[in-house]
Amino acid sequence: MTTDTTTAETTTAETSTAPAESSDPHALTLENVERTLDELRPYLMADGGNVEVVEIDGPIVKVRLQGACGSCPSSTMTLKMGIERKLREAIPEVNEVVQVL
């Protein structure tokens, strides 16, 4: 019976570590991308804009700039120097952020 108890404890310990790995804040997931973008949204909204995640295609995050950001002449700078830089710092798997119209 002691062996069975040890096996059960080991299985429980292994199972409890699995969710921690899937919630890694540096993993390229929609949840982590949204969490990072939530840090930037107040700045975008202050200028009348916003950003929406359209798709994650491998290491490429596709976004749509909304509101004033969609038609702003500085939108490319906002995308590359703001959004892409922040996502790459927070989630190293991100290689590029591209705008989808």
Side-chain angles (χ1 to χ4, degrees):
M1 291 190 109
T2 306
T3 305
D4 292 339
T5 305
T6 305
T7 305
E9 289 173 9
T10 304
T11 305
T12 304
E14 289 173 5
T15 305
S16 66
T17 57
E21 291 173 11
S22 64
S23 63
D24 177 9
H26 302 294
L28 181 51
T29 64
L30 180 59
E31 179 183 344
N32 291 339
V33 170
E34 288 288 355
R35 184 181 304 123
T36 303
L37 292 177
D38 284 345
E39 296 175 21
L40 298 174
R41 283 192 170 100
Y43 303 104
L44 297 171
M45 289 177 174
D47 289 329
N50 203 348
V51 62
E52 168 193 11
V53 178
V54 175
E55 179 183 9
I56 297 175
D57 185 12
I60 300 169
V61 178
K62 297 179 181 180
V63 299
R64 180 176 294 118
L65 296 176
Q66 300 174 325
C69 289
S71 59
C72 177
S74 299
S75 63
T76 301
M77 186 66 74
T78 298
L79 183 71
K80 293 296 178 181
M81 298 304 291
I83 296 170
E84 183 175 285
R85 182 184 60 79
K86 183 70 173 175
L87 283 172
R88 290 177 79 176
E89 285 175 5
I91 306 168
E93 288 180 64
V94 173
N95 284 345
E96 186 178 14
V97 177
V98 295
Q99 182 176 1
V100 176
L101 302 175

